[in-house]
Amino acid sequence: MVMERSIRERVPPLLTDLYQFTMAYAYWRAGRHQEPAVFELFFRDNPFGGGFSLFSGLHDCLLFLRSFRFTDEDVEYLRSVLPPDSDPTFFQFLRGLDCSGVTVNSVPEGTVVFARVPLMEVAGPLAVVQLLETSLLCLVNYASLVCSNAARFRLAAGPRRKLLEMGLRRAQGPDGGLTASRYTHIGGFDLTSNVQAGFLFGIPVAGTMAHSYVTSFSSLEEVWPQTLVAANGNRDQVDLISLTKGWLGRVCDLLGAEPGKIREGELAAFLSYAIAYPHNFLPVIDSYSVSCSGLPNFCAVALALCELGYRPRGVRLDSGDLCRQSVNVRRVFKLCSEHFSISAFHSLIIVGTNNISEQSMAEFNKRENEIDTVGVGTHLVTCTSQPSLGCVYKLVEVRGRPRMKFSEDPEKTTVPGRKAVYRLLDTEGHPFLDLLCLAVEPPPKAGLPLNCYPLGWDNASHSVTPAQVICLRQDVFTKGQVTHPLCSAAETRAKVQSSLQTLHPRHKRLQEPDSYTVALSEKLHNLITDIRKGSCSNSNFLLAN
Amino acid sequence: MVMERSIRERVPPLLTDLYQFTMAYAYWRAGRHQEPAVFELFFRDNPFGGGFSLFSGLHDCLLFLRSFRFTDEDVEYLRSVLPPDSDPTFFQFLRGLDCSGVTVNSVPEGTVVFARVPLMEVAGPLAVVQLLETSLLCLVNYASLVCSNAARFRLAAGPRRKLLEMGLRRAQGPDGGLTASRYTHIGGFDLTSNVQAGFLFGIPVAGTMAHSYVTSFSSLEEVWPQTLVAANGNRDQVDLISLTKGWLGRVCDLLGAEPGKIREGELAAFLSYAIAYPHNFLPVIDSYSVSCSGLPNFCAVALALCELGYRPRGVRLDSGDLCRQSVNVRRVFKLCSEHFSISAFHSLIIVGTNNISEQSMAEFNKRENEIDTVGVGTHLVTCTSQPSLGCVYKLVEVRGRPRMKFSEDPEKTTVPGRKAVYRLLDTEGHPFLDLLCLAVEPPPKAGLPLNCYPLGWDNASHSVTPAQVICLRQDVFTKGQVTHPLCSAAETRAKVQSSLQTLHPRHKRLQEPDSYTVALSEKLHNLITDIRKGSCSNSNFLLAN
């Protein structure tokens, strides 16, 4: 609801490149603006050196299409930037424009997808579908990129470890941060620190304290109130400071910690926080020194809480060697648990943060560590190793005639024609090939061999027999209406995991995966050959004159 | 105006990390929420391996502070995510919260700044200034990063070449794209493709056509109208197709181009565009082959336009070796100009686009080329080589007492106390040192030597004599009001260039610059020494008990 209300504000139809309007005017001037045209949205390479990507952003695209309309103010601005001799009737045309003539056939949001497969097909009046280009790319590009990045972190983390997104301060401004929270949750993160994302999208939020909370305290005199009642409902106020001091002495003895190195301000901060949140005690313990101060202070306060019947939750580590420290912290938890017979210390969690990258996750898998929850910010939301997916939107058909772009860069050449896309599965249910066919072709049949031309195989043909055939795209927008139920974030999140589940491990490998085959049907391959020939002979008009 | 209207929607006060609220509650619970506190915002390393950064985002921060207020809906949501036993009075406190008790002392937007210098000082009630952290970081981080990136492109491009930002489709969603357009303009870009950025911020917009426009045409029959009147006002309709065909024959003869390789669809697209925009003819010429088709087609249409008294504008190249192609294109322009005595061909511009990076710009400086305008997208807006600045916000004082964070990572240790920041200039007017002093110290005096402790010099002191002393920060927000005039984008853009102008070339060098000195005053240095000692003895409370 909240989303829908603001889509017009977030993605106004002017949020596009100027050339979309200059082209729209030229089409309109030539009377071509209503010609039926078909564009395809795809990307050219799987991101992060991986073997797959996840398609996201469709939900926003559909809301954008539904609300696509120019206001008087928009049109006045456009009039001021187009050449002064532009025909004024064009601006009336713009004022009446909407997406009632547009249809979108798309891969469902949250599906595993591959480079070169057309993910969305946008059909409609030439001028309108051209105008949509930049906005659709803007909505799909980053959403798909950051969702794919999150899915890689999830694969690296395994199903057990909790993942917390905390990148708001490092994102490209407010909306970048919100988009990151939303699509990393969809990609497999469990929690976000971003409160607005919790509010808008229902993502579970998490967070306890920053170092500034700890350093804002300098003495135990700042702790107020100093008492806490027991968890069992007994209303007697217990002096938590005295109780904790007693425990601190015993902890220091047990751990051989020097009382002279304990930070009083840190202890005051922990006490104050425990009194505010006796059921949710999870401080950051590296403001001074984990082993000399943070850890003994935590244990003392947590033991005092346990004595009062509360269950402390754990600690956060935010600097240094997280693996080594977490092992030491766990060892101390076990020691306390055994020595003081406090079972709650068995279930304390250790949260690790501090510039976590995919490489850090790989390290967590190789080195001994006791980290239960990982918080990831910068590397997750900025997608450091590849900060852009590079989706493009290419014209493939006008007035029923296939269009193709040749290029000085061969990989920029496009695949012409309106298509259907099928995913072929093997006998074990793993997808092994995505097949691009002409829309008019009959679909491939399970159990029947077919001949195709894998992209990048230099025109070599290949025979395959699918055990199962899935039609990859569906109609999601017709005549100005969203024709497919909009999925909630939770539904899309589940879709991501089930889609990844079917993918064979060899394609899912984060490093040097086997590349997945995308192929053209024989008919589509022949069409390209014909166009290459045809367009050559076609263009000899000068000689013909 | 448009900005101000939407800041509450763009940066709601819930757009922050949850731990800001959990800490605010704990402060409130301990009765500490009104304690006067001071935070500083700074970054730890200059981005992109450079010697400087540009401070941006202040304008948005001020609007955010001015509008900072929680709605009933916000507070209800917070109630649902904080523990159920939280004191309900806290939520009434939140509902009445604003920034009327906050003061901000800041470096002016668009100033050249350096790592470790506190750029903003935010003072006010502890709970409030803590709550502001994430939002301020989010608004400053990317704005400063992308502005600094743009400034580097500008330095690499030199003052002559025009720079066009075209990154909307690669940014982190809609607002990321808008922020990029705004701050790259401020950083030195001349133009943007982003129409909404033109609308909101008054940035000049540019753009003509995409390849899809070219490939949407297949024959000259699609050109309509086919006629154009001369620029001189003579209303006779001239058949532009015939006129162009004549020129195309002559151009092919002159260039030795094969008429059989000319693409009819491309010529049709160019003609159609020229008829719509006779004063603004600037097509993209690499849809098929620049030398075999795009360039002859352009020349023919442009010569026809010239014959009718129009001035064509130029061409865009979007693939292949831009340097080599631009030289060839310029040679052909000169050839046409001389051969056909058409002076307008002397002033045609060549626009280069296609994945331009800072390295491409360096290449343009080394290799012969004729590119007048460079369009930059992905590498500009995503800041590929360092996609995050890493600004932090650290507590330096509470209740008039300096606070300091020690850390397992030494570079994460903070500089305590409320400060004044001075920039010292040499006799030539170049800044050579930024000096952090205690706020209560008298400012350094021009012409008088002073002793200081450069950061990173391992406690060694250093004597310097400034020829001029500038107080780097100013009060910009007091008692809920913006106290310094908000600058327009144009003013800030001018500020960036003048600020860069004073910087010595050795610090401005894009590769391996000399590092700029940031130093502590003797008094500040002594304070740190005292705190290090003091906090050790201070914490012996366990022994003292």
Side-chain angles (χ1 to χ4, degrees), chain B residues 227-486:
Chain B
T227 59
L228 189 65
V229 298
N232 64 10
N234 182 339
R235 305 304 297 169
D236 292 347
Q237 295 287 343
V238 179
D239 180 343
L240 195 66
I241 297 187
S242 303
L243 195 64
T244 298
K245 280 187 180 175
W247 279 111
L248 186 55
R250 276 164 269 164
V251 166
C252 286
D253 286 347
L254 177 65
L255 307 182
E258 287 181 54
K261 288 190 174 170
I262 298 286
R263 296 279 169 173
E264 179 175 346
E266 186 179 55
L267 182 60
F270 289 5
L271 278 164
S272 173
Y273 200 87
I275 289 165
Y277 297 107
H279 294 287
N280 292 277
F281 183 57
L282 194 159
V284 60
I285 60 169
D286 67 334
S287 298
Y288 302 101
S289 159
V290 172
S291 56
C292 297
S293 181
L295 187 53
N297 275 334
F298 169 79
C299 289
V301 177
L303 287 162
L305 283 174
C306 289
E307 189 178 336
L308 295 179
Y310 296 99
R311 292 186 76 88
R313 288 184 50 217
V315 297
R316 176 161 76 99
L317 296 167
D318 186 43
S319 56
D321 181 338
L322 298 180
C323 287
R324 187 182 52 71
Q325 288 187 94
S326 70
V327 169
N328 186 43
V329 167
R330 184 70 71 201
R331 187 185 58 75
V332 167
F333 288 172
K334 284 192 180 143
L335 203 61
C336 288
S337 170
E338 283 155 23
H339 190 81
F340 302 119
S341 303
I342 303 283
S343 67
F345 264 54
H346 273 303
S347 50
L348 289 171
I349 64 165
I350 300 173
V351 181
T353 57
N354 187 24
N355 206 25
I356 302 290
S357 63
E358 203 180 293
Q359 287 67 47
S360 321
M361 300 298 294
E363 199 189 328
F364 294 165
N365 288 332
K366 279 185 211 141
R367 287 182 56 199
E368 186 191 2
N369 74 85
E370 291 285 342
I371 301 166
D372 301 292
T373 298
V374 181
V376 195
T378 311
H379 293 293
L380 178 63
V381 306
T382 65
C383 303
T384 331
S385 65
Q386 184 185 326
S388 163
L389 182 56
C391 274
V392 294
Y393 182 84
K394 295 294 171 191
L395 181 69
V396 295
E397 191 182 283
V398 185
R399 275 186 297 141
R401 292 179 56 185
R403 308 309 307 157
M404 184 168 171
K405 183 196 154 212
F406 301 83
S407 172
E408 305 266 326
D409 300 340
E411 75 272 22
K412 280 191 165 187
T413 298
T414 60
V415 180
R418 192 161 195 170
K419 304 177 191 72
V421 184
Y422 300 99
R423 179 156 291 177
L424 312 189
L425 310 191
D426 63 19
T427 48
E428 287 171 333
H430 295 305
F432 70 93
L433 187 144
D434 280 7
L435 184 71
L436 317 189
C437 300
L438 288 173
V440 292
E441 284 186 72
K445 286 208 170 62
L448 291 187
L450 66 93
N451 217 23
C452 63
Y453 290 80
L455 292 171
W457 283 29
D458 218 14
N459 284 325
S461 80
H462 180 49
S463 177
V464 294
T465 306
Q468 210 183 322
V469 175
I470 293 169
C471 180
L472 199 59
R473 299 193 309 209
Q474 48 198 209
D475 286 327
V476 292
F477 190 87
T478 314
K479 296 182 182 166
Q481 297 303 318
V482 178
T483 54
H484 208 264
L486 291 170

Side-chain angles (χ1 to χ4, degrees), chain A residues 315-318 322 350-354 356 371-376:
Chain A
V315 297
R316 177 162 74 99
L317 296 167
D318 187 43
L322 298 179
I350 300 174
V351 181
T353 56
N354 187 25
I356 303 290
I371 302 165
D372 303 292
T373 298
V374 182
V376 195

